[in-house]
Amino acid sequence: MAANGRLIAGSHNRNEFVLINADEVARVTFVKELSGQICQICGDEIEVVENGEPFVACNECAFPVCRPCYEYERREGNQACPQCKTRYKRLKGSPRVEGDEEEDDTDDLENEFDITSNDRRDPQNIAEAVLSARLNTGRGYQAKVTTPSEVDSASVAGDIPLLTYGQEDVGISSDKHALIIPPFMGRGARVHPMAFPDSSMTYIAVTVPPRPMDPKKDLAVYGYGTVAWKERMEEWKKKQNEKLQVVKHQGGNSDGNNDGDALDDPDLPMMDEGRQPLSRKLPIPSSKINPYRIVIIIRLAILGLFFHYRLLHPVHDAYWLWLISVICEIWFAISWIFDQLPKWYPIVRETYLDRLSLRYEKEGKPSELADIDIFVSTVDPMKEPPLITANTVLSILAVDYPVDKVACYVSDDGAAMLTFEALSETSEFARKWVPFCKKFSIEPRAPEWYFAQKVDYLKHKVDPTFVRERRAVKREYEEFKVRINGLVAMAQKVPEDGWTMQDGTPWPGNNVRDHPGMIQVFLGHNGVRDIEGNELPRLVYVSREKRPGFDHHKKAGAMNALIRVSAIISNAPYLLNVDCDHYINNSKALREAMCFMMDPTSGKKICYVQFPQRFDGIDRNDRYSNRNVVFFDINMKGLDGIQGPIYVGTGCVFRRQALYGYDAPIKKKPPRKTCNCFPKWCCCCCKSRRKSKKVKSNEKKKTKETLKQIHALENIEEGIEDNEKALMSQIKFEKKFGQSPVFIASTLMEDGGVPKGASSASLLKEAIHVISCGYEDKTEWGKEVGWIYGSVTEDILTGFKMHCHGWRSVYCIPKRPAFKGSAPINLSDRLHQVLRWALGSVEIFFSRHCPLWYGFGCGLKPLERFSYINSVVYPLTSIPLIAYCTLPAICLLTGKFIVPAISNYASIVFMAMFLSIAVTSILEMQWGGVGIHDWWRNEQFWVIGGVSSHLFALIQGLLKVLAGVNTNFTVTSKAADDGEFFELYLFKWTSLLIPPLFLLIVNIIGVIIGVADAISNGYDSWGPLFGRLFFALWVIIHLYPFLKGFMGKQDRIPTIIVVWSILLASIFSLLWARVNPFESRGGVVLEVCGLDCN
């Protein structure tokens, strides 16, 4: 598809197809005007033949019928025109059928017989044929077939040398020596004789007589087995062995001189480095992981002793406090086990980019790397600044990958004209930015972050023009920023009549909830080139259709629309999805992923490659644990050693076939080896059975081969039936993937690709069709295909479904971070982000996809299941966590405690428990490469998020399940260039701030009252106070980041937060002091009088 500067908008349900010219006078064009005529049978466009006229099937009445329907009617129907009932005549380019009259004036021998080679029975070729038949309209497409009879021996005899060495056979002509032609070797172009996958195909086999060989004569007469032939084979084997013994990095002599004849051979790299694995596993050293496993086992034993003591020693005077604390501790222990077990086999991986290049990028040949479609999703340009989205797109367009194999799709789910105009400006600036990046190999390739680097940008730069070009590009980028900022300023005030485009056409997305689907190809093949005349990757703007009354499924629905659009336009076998604020920080990130996906040994079972999330713009102390280092560097490494990491929503490269809901390929088990551990008489039966089975299978093979040679046509028909059984019927395909035959055909193409002869009009029409709002109705989209619906955290659910299908995933951590994004440094936004994640987990927990009961008996491994269970039940920890954080204040206010008088045995158990927790954490940090500061921040925010966001997520999830109350989440604001960390101390009003502030105030009050009571009661009361103080200080220290933010800038604190928190804490404290349930009030308290009455 060419980038012609036009926006395509339309609705399949309303039969609208609007073409808006951005550079000319606007005009609205419907489908009929674009295609000329519409087939009255299937509704497709009628193609244009070579002379420029529309295809005419019936010369009597000219009833409009497309060529595929015409050929199908001649082949399978009554061979007559539906309107005038006149028998169809054979037209040029169509195969002959039974009943056709002889035609002396038509010279169309190459198309007269529908002859197809055996490779046409492959599902990949069938899918390509379906796609070609559906889309090859409007370009005068003519089907051509070369019969095997045309490919005779003389046509290829010159390519194979004579091996008879002068010893000719009388019965063989001299031009056919040492040449054997396969019986069914077709060399013609592929032709699709059917319109739909379930329609039958007819093959007519014309056998070519093989070369006659006299069985009485020796094979040496024909060149095989002669002395010269054997010498040549030995010489070739010797040469190959010599090449295999040469290693690329050890090819030099001690003096540094190399053997030029050996190392200059162009085939040498493929003999060593190119055939090696593209990646390898690096297990954690045993000196680090074995002590860690031993400590885990010891900790489990200590945990048993701890609960044994706690359950057998209740506190009778504070029984309810003791019972609540024990229940909370049991839940914490179960949660720890679910979190700990998946870390048993942590691994890291290493990639070899040089081997990838040697294998798939041979010198002088086109690159064989796989195509990749990249998805960028955005919704609200006010919360996701267009400048950030533009930087992400620019980093994608400048990635270190063949330009003809990269396509970037930007999903604008808000149908904002601001995003559209910003993307138009981005495509223009990309013409200057992309060649600059590739010429000087700069990193990163997002201009905002590249120019903001505080490093020596002249390091390792030797080109004298670099400084001059860098200054010019920086000036261009600053002008580009001014234009983007101007668009943002203009978008602040929406006109009453809505937005209009430059040509006066109303913007189709003025109504965000009711607008047609829109597609705009900004860059691409045969389109705009960069300033140096080179091609640029394809850039496509997509906004799916939205209508009232339809459930659009938020981000998951937008991603599924991108899957279908990309399948129609480019159909790459691999997909990468990134958020609009996650730019490519490592230009070789795609190559890193391909080292796993394209590995010939292990790549076929990999469904996705997940990269860790790294962030820019976070304060040095990472107060609210935005980096989440513990999860990405410890938990994910542990999952990679089982079945792979979970999908985290961005920075992930997918296999398209895995997203279509297909099962992972099953690896064939090797034959069992016989053993000598049993007597021979015991194995005789088995051996005889195996031998008989082998004999029978060999006999069957021989019989089949004989039948193939005798009955060629029957075998071809049997192969067609087998393929039809292997493929789904058309009805099943439509129930699974929808009503688009073009998209259905693309799902069968494992290696991707679209037909070269497809017309742009047909592609755009199908693309508008697949993004219509009702396309997914009564299909398996969101259930088994694509991103899975049913949760706001569609990422966890989608990855879980893939693992249940038997796929495995891979965790890739390059030395240079592959992607970097923007994190919300504001506490309120951070809590809302955690709220959304927790709410998605609660929705999964109450759905049919809960890992506790879904997916048993499939390809999900037990430890992988534990990790998914932990990922959906962690919001439930909020209730025991709040209760446990409230207990210290209650103990200090009442003078009670949850533990009785501690004995020596209890002291040893408690000390061992705390020591095992500390040692486990230290060993985790050691093998995970995590610093103690990051670990401590993670622990602190686990408490902050657990008592606030997780609690509200649990309440909202229960309301949604029980009462049907649906809650909408807000998009997290992305940081813009408004000053460094200016929002760090800013509190925005939200109810999520009340619970942690309430706990903080209650525990501080409890500490004050407890210390005051100890001072008034004397020395003996300090001993029991230490346990209660330690408990309360544990809570306060974990809430310290919240307290520091609270005290940072008091002029920005909403008064309502302080008022509600102090009010609740005071009421609770006074009520408890007034009504003390642990104080006995059954009778009159008698005291001994201190006066001597005598």
Side-chain angles (χ1 to χ4, degrees):
M1 296 177 60
N4 51 10
R6 296 177 178 178
L7 172 67
I8 305 299
S11 173
H12 179 78
N13 298 332
R14 303 185 181 186
N15 197 26
E16 296 175 356
F17 196 74
V18 184
L19 179 64
I20 302 175
N21 296 332
D23 300 328
E24 303 172 5
V25 179
R27 64 187 183 92
V28 178
T29 311
F30 288 86
V31 178
K32 293 185 177 181
E33 184 178 341
L34 279 176
S35 57
Q37 290 186 359
I38 297 297
C39 175
Q40 299 300 314
I41 296 178
C42 65
D44 290 343
E45 303 172 24
I46 296 180
E47 68 179 59
V48 179
V49 295
E50 293 179 345
N51 58 5
E53 297 295 330
F55 173 79
V56 178
C58 178
N59 294 326
E60 299 295 332
C61 65
F63 185 70
V65 175
C66 64
R67 180 180 284 275
C69 293
Y70 159 77
E71 293 182 352
Y72 179 82
E73 186 69 21
R74 279 172 43 82
R75 184 177 63 250
E76 304 292 340
N78 55 12
Q79 302 180 0
C81 175
Q83 179 169 300
C84 64
K85 307 303 179 183
T86 305
R87 178 182 173 83
Y88 279 135
K89 295 184 179 180
R90 189 184 78 84
L91 303 177
K92 186 175 181 180
S94 300
R96 180 181 293 276
V97 298
E98 185 179 357
D100 285 346
E101 300 177 356
E102 296 294 332
E103 302 167 350
D104 299 332
D105 56 342
T106 304
D107 185 13
D108 191 24
L109 186 60
E110 68 273 11
N111 295 315
E112 190 168 353
F113 299 100
D114 184 14
I115 302 165
T116 314
S117 57
N118 291 336
D119 65 343
R120 285 292 309 282
R121 288 174 288 174
D122 182 69
Q124 173 83 7
N125 297 330
I126 294 176
E128 292 178 357
V130 174
L131 215 52
S132 299
R134 178 73 177 177
L135 294 178
N136 283 328
T137 58
R139 294 197 173 190
Y141 174 79
Q142 296 295 332
K144 295 184 179 180
V145 177
T146 305
T147 61
S149 59
E150 295 175 346
V151 188
D152 57 357
S153 305
S155 63
V156 292
D159 297 336
I160 303 178
L162 297 177
L163 299 179
T164 55
Y165 300 101
Q167 300 179 5
E168 297 186 2
D169 182 25
V170 180
I172 304 175
S173 59
S174 59
D175 60 341
K176 294 184 179 180
H177 271 252
L179 179 63
I180 300 176
I181 300 178
F184 312 108
M185 184 178 68
R187 290 195 171 189
R190 292 173 181 165
V191 176
H192 176 56
M194 62 180 181
F196 300 96
D198 62 340
S199 61
S200 59
M201 295 183 296
T202 305
Y203 292 85
I204 303 175
V206 180
T207 60
V208 179
R211 172 191 172 182
M213 296 179 67
D214 192 351
K216 298 180 180 180
K217 294 186 178 182
D218 186 40
L219 287 175
V221 177
Y222 302 96
Y224 302 101
T226 60
V227 177
W229 178 76
K230 290 181 179 179
E231 290 179 353
R232 292 182 61 190
M233 290 300 298
E234 292 295 334
E235 183 179 359
W236 180 82
K237 290 180 180 179
K238 182 179 179 181
K239 186 177 180 182
Q240 297 300 317
N241 290 332
E242 290 176 355
K243 291 180 179 179
L244 288 173
Q245 293 175 359
V246 179
V247 182
K248 183 177 181 182
H249 55 273
Q250 297 178 353
N253 300 326
S254 59
D255 56 354
N257 296 327
N258 298 330
D259 186 2
D261 296 336
L263 295 179
D264 291 340
D265 193 333
D267 296 331
L268 177 62
M270 287 299 295
M271 304 304 296
D272 52 328
E273 291 281 347
R275 297 192 180 186
Q276 298 298 320
L278 303 180
S279 64
R280 66 166 179 166
K281 296 180 183 178
L282 297 176
I284 305 298
S286 58
S287 60
K288 296 181 179 180
I289 196 63
N290 287 340
Y292 175 70
R293 293 169 178 167
I294 293 173
V295 170
I296 290 176
I297 296 174
I298 295 175
R299 183 174 173 180
L300 287 172
I302 296 174
L303 199 61
L305 297 175
F306 173 80
F307 283 114
H308 178 265
Y309 174 81
R310 293 283 284 137
L311 292 174
L312 295 181
H313 295 79
V315 182
H316 298 287
D317 59 342
Y319 185 80
W320 288 106
L321 293 180
W322 169 83
L323 182 61
I324 293 173
S325 65
V326 170
I327 293 174
C328 295
E329 289 164 357
I330 292 175
W331 178 262
F332 294 153
I334 295 174
S335 178
W336 173 78
I337 292 174
F338 277 111
D339 180 67
Q340 196 66 55
L341 289 181
K343 304 175 187 176
W344 193 259
Y345 301 104
I347 62 171
V348 293
R349 297 179 185 269
E350 186 179 31
T351 57
Y352 301 99
L353 300 180
D354 53 347
R355 295 178 183 177
L356 180 73
S357 298
L358 289 173
R359 182 183 291 270
Y360 296 108
E361 292 183 305
K362 302 174 184 177
E363 187 177 356
K365 296 182 180 179
S367 174
E368 298 178 4
L369 292 173
D371 294 6
I372 301 179
D373 291 339
I374 304 176
F375 299 163
V376 181
S377 58
T378 181
V379 181
D380 188 355
M382 294 294 109
K383 293 185 177 181
E384 298 168 331
L387 188 61
I388 293 180
T389 305
N391 274 270
T392 300
V393 172
L394 289 171
S395 67
I396 293 172
L397 298 178
V399 72
D400 184 8
Y401 208 77
V403 294
D404 59 329
K405 298 180 179 295
V406 176
C408 177
Y409 294 84
V410 180
S411 171
D412 179 16
D413 218 30
M417 188 174 178
L418 174 58
T419 303
F420 177 82
E421 293 292 343
L423 206 60
S424 178
E425 293 286 349
T426 304
S427 64
E428 181 63 27
F429 177 71
R431 298 179 59 245
K432 308 177 184 67
W433 174 250
V434 173
F436 171 73
C437 294
K438 295 187 175 181
K439 181 178 180 180
F440 299 106
S441 301
I442 67 168
E443 296 284 357
R445 300 192 175 181
E448 182 67 24
W449 302 107
Y450 170 71
F451 291 122
Q453 290 182 117
K454 297 179 181 179
V455 296
D456 182 13
Y457 64 87
L458 297 178
K459 190 177 182 180
H460 304 306
K461 296 294 186 294
V462 296
D463 195 334
T465 62
F466 171 70
V467 176
R468 182 173 64 254
E469 294 192 23
R470 184 182 186 277
R471 290 174 180 171
V473 172
K474 186 176 182 180
R475 184 172 58 253
E476 292 285 346
Y477 178 65
E478 290 174 351
E479 295 176 358
F480 166 74
K481 288 178 64 175
V482 170
R483 293 194 296 271
I484 296 295
N485 293 335
L487 292 174
V488 174
M490 185 176 61
Q492 299 294 331
K493 186 177 181 181
V494 181
E496 294 181 0
D497 298 333
W499 297 106
T500 57
M501 303 187 69
Q502 295 179 358
D503 56 3
T505 306
W507 171 246
N510 279 325
N511 189 343
V512 179
R513 302 181 183 275
D514 187 4
H515 65 83
M518 293 178 283
I519 297 175
Q520 167 76 57
V521 182
F522 286 103
L523 302 174
H525 307 298
N526 303 322
V528 180
R529 296 176 178 264
D530 62 23
I531 57 176
E532 296 182 358
N534 300 319
E535 288 186 359
L536 291 169
R538 182 183 280 123
L539 177 60
V540 184
Y541 169 87
V542 179
S543 182
R544 57 180 175 147
E545 181 185 12
K546 287 189 176 182
R547 301 295 180 189
F550 289 90
D551 188 358
H552 303 291
H553 301 288
K554 302 180 177 69
K555 180 181 177 181
M559 299 306 294
N560 285 337
L562 286 183
I563 292 178
R564 298 190 293 269
V565 167
S566 62
I568 300 296
I569 297 176
S570 54
N571 195 30
Y574 302 105
L575 311 173
L576 165 65
N577 89 288
V578 293
D579 290 340
C580 66
D581 62 319
H582 273 70
Y583 65 90
I584 298 180
N585 183 66
N586 185 349
S587 62
K588 298 184 181 297
L590 301 185
R591 295 177 180 269
E592 295 276 356
M594 291 300 105
C595 285
F596 299 103
M597 288 295 195
M598 301 186 69
D599 192 291
T601 56
S602 60
K604 292 295 183 180
K605 292 200 68 176
I606 297 176
C607 57
Y608 61 82
V609 177
Q610 179 65 61
F611 292 89
Q613 292 186 16
R614 306 299 188 207
F615 299 98
D616 283 319
I618 299 177
D619 62 300
R620 186 184 47 158
N621 296 322
D622 192 14
R623 177 173 300 171
Y624 307 124
S625 187
N626 283 287
R627 294 190 178 94
N628 210 357
V629 179
V630 174
F631 173 77
F632 286 110
D633 287 357
I634 294 180
N635 296 66
M636 297 288 269
K637 288 179 182 178
L639 292 176
D640 198 16
I642 306 172
Q643 197 176 348
I646 63 176
Y647 168 45
V648 297
T650 183
C652 187
V653 177
F654 287 95
R655 184 182 301 275
R656 187 182 284 268
Q657 293 294 315
L659 281 171
Y660 287 156
Y662 294 123
D663 292 332
I666 301 175
K667 186 178 181 181
K668 295 182 180 179
K669 297 182 178 180
R672 295 181 179 179
K673 297 180 180 180
T674 58
C675 60
N676 297 324
C677 56
F678 294 100
K680 291 184 178 180
W681 60 268
C682 183
C683 300
C684 286
C685 299
C686 298
K687 289 183 179 179
S688 61
R689 290 177 183 175
R690 291 173 183 172
K691 288 183 179 179
S692 61
K693 288 181 179 179
K694 289 182 179 179
V695 171
K696 290 180 181 179
S697 62
N698 292 334
E699 290 178 356
K700 289 181 180 179
K701 289 181 180 179
K702 291 181 180 180
T703 305
K704 288 182 179 180
E705 290 177 358
T706 305
L707 291 174
K708 285 182 180 179
Q709 294 178 0
I710 298 175
H711 307 287
L713 180 59
E714 295 178 0
N715 285 336
I716 292 176
E717 292 175 353
E718 290 177 1
I720 297 172
E721 293 177 359
D722 292 340
N723 284 324
E724 290 178 351
K725 292 179 181 179
L727 297 176
M728 289 183 180
S729 66
Q730 180 69 16
I731 297 177
K732 290 183 178 180
F733 269 121
E734 291 179 353
K735 287 183 178 180
K736 183 174 184 178
F737 297 114
Q739 299 290 328
S740 173
V742 181
F743 177 76
I744 291 174
S746 68
T747 61
L748 302 176
M749 304 172 67
E750 184 177 357
D751 297 330
V754 294
K756 296 181 179 179
S759 64
S760 297
S762 300
L763 287 175
L764 289 174
K765 179 187 174 185
E766 288 295 328
I768 291 294
H769 179 197
V770 297
I771 62 174
S772 59
C773 54
Y775 182 82
E776 296 180 356
D777 292 347
K778 298 181 180 180
T779 66
E780 294 187 6
W781 282 101
K783 302 173 184 176
E784 298 292 335
V785 181
W787 269 258
I788 307 302
Y789 303 150
S791 171
V792 295
T793 54
E794 69 288 332
D795 44 9
I796 296 178
L797 202 52
T798 302
F800 174 65
K801 293 283 286 188
M802 291 185 187
H803 285 142
C804 288
H805 281 285
W807 296 93
R808 72 152 295 126
S809 54
V810 168
Y811 194 50
C812 180
I813 310 179
K815 293 182 179 179
R816 180 181 178 86
F819 304 92
K820 280 191 175 183
S822 302
I825 62 175
N826 177 273
L827 178 60
S828 301
D829 291 338
R830 173 72 166 137
L831 290 176
H832 275 290
Q833 184 186 55
V834 176
L835 170 65
R836 185 171 66 88
W837 295 344
L839 178 59
S841 297
V842 173
E843 291 174 341
I844 297 174
F845 180 78
F846 289 108
S847 70
R848 70 181 187 93
H849 291 113
C850 180
L852 286 170
W853 50 74
Y854 181 85
F856 284 95
C858 61
L860 191 65
K861 295 184 179 180
L863 289 181
E864 191 77 13
R865 182 179 297 277
F866 283 163
S867 69
Y868 277 109
I869 291 174
N870 184 55
S871 66
V872 299
V873 302
Y874 75 89
L876 302 179
T877 311
S878 60
I879 295 178
L881 184 59
I882 290 177
Y884 210 68
C885 291
T886 310
L887 288 177
I890 297 176
C891 293
L892 289 169
L893 292 173
T894 60
K896 309 296 182 180
F897 198 43
I898 60 176
V899 178
I902 298 178
S903 62
N904 293 333
Y905 171 75
S907 301
I908 295 174
V909 172
F910 287 167
M911 291 297 295
M913 190 66 196
F914 288 117
L915 186 62
S916 65
I917 293 174
V919 174
T920 304
S921 302
I922 292 173
L923 292 177
E924 272 189 0
M925 289 186 286
Q926 186 180 13
W927 65 255
V930 177
I932 188 172
H933 181 270
D934 292 322
W935 175 85
W936 177 239
R937 289 302 188 199
N938 181 79
E939 291 293 317
Q940 288 177 318
F941 198 79
W942 176 76
V943 176
I944 296 173
V947 299
S948 58
S949 298
H950 297 174
L951 176 64
F952 280 81
L954 184 59
I955 295 173
Q956 291 182 10
L958 290 174
L959 289 176
K960 182 177 181 180
V961 173
L962 300 178
V965 179
N966 197 2
T967 56
N968 295 322
F969 70 91
T970 57
V971 179
T972 306
S973 299
K974 307 302 188 294
D977 188 15
D978 296 329
E980 188 177 14
F981 315 138
F982 84 105
E983 286 188 344
L984 181 60
Y985 302 102
L986 177 62
F987 276 91
K988 300 177 182 178
W989 161 244
T990 172
S991 56
L992 298 176
L993 300 175
I994 294 179
L997 190 58
F998 167 75
L999 291 174
L1000 194 61
I1001 295 175
V1002 167
N1003 280 275
I1004 292 175
I1005 293 176
V1007 170
I1008 296 173
I1009 294 177
V1011 173
D1013 184 66
I1015 293 174
S1016 62
N1017 291 334
Y1019 178 77
D1020 294 336
S1021 61
W1022 283 98
L1025 181 64
F1026 281 135
R1028 305 184 189 100
L1029 284 178
F1030 175 80
F1031 202 8
L1033 290 176
W1034 178 89
V1035 177
I1036 295 173
I1037 292 174
H1038 277 77
L1039 294 174
Y1040 175 72
F1042 182 88
L1043 177 62
K1044 189 175 180 180
F1046 181 83
M1047 301 299 294
K1049 298 221 177 165
Q1050 298 179 0
D1051 57 337
R1052 295 189 179 184
I1053 299 174
T1055 307
I1056 190 65
I1057 298 179
V1058 182
V1059 172
W1060 273 102
S1061 301
I1062 295 177
L1063 182 62
L1064 290 176
S1066 302
I1067 293 174
F1068 179 79
S1069 302
L1070 294 174
L1071 183 63
W1072 189 274
R1074 179 67 181 85
V1075 184
N1076 191 347
F1078 301 105
E1079 184 178 349
S1080 177
R1081 301 181 184 272
V1084 179
V1085 180
L1086 300 178
E1087 296 182 1
V1088 179
C1089 181
L1091 299 176
D1092 188 4
C1093 298
N1094 297 327

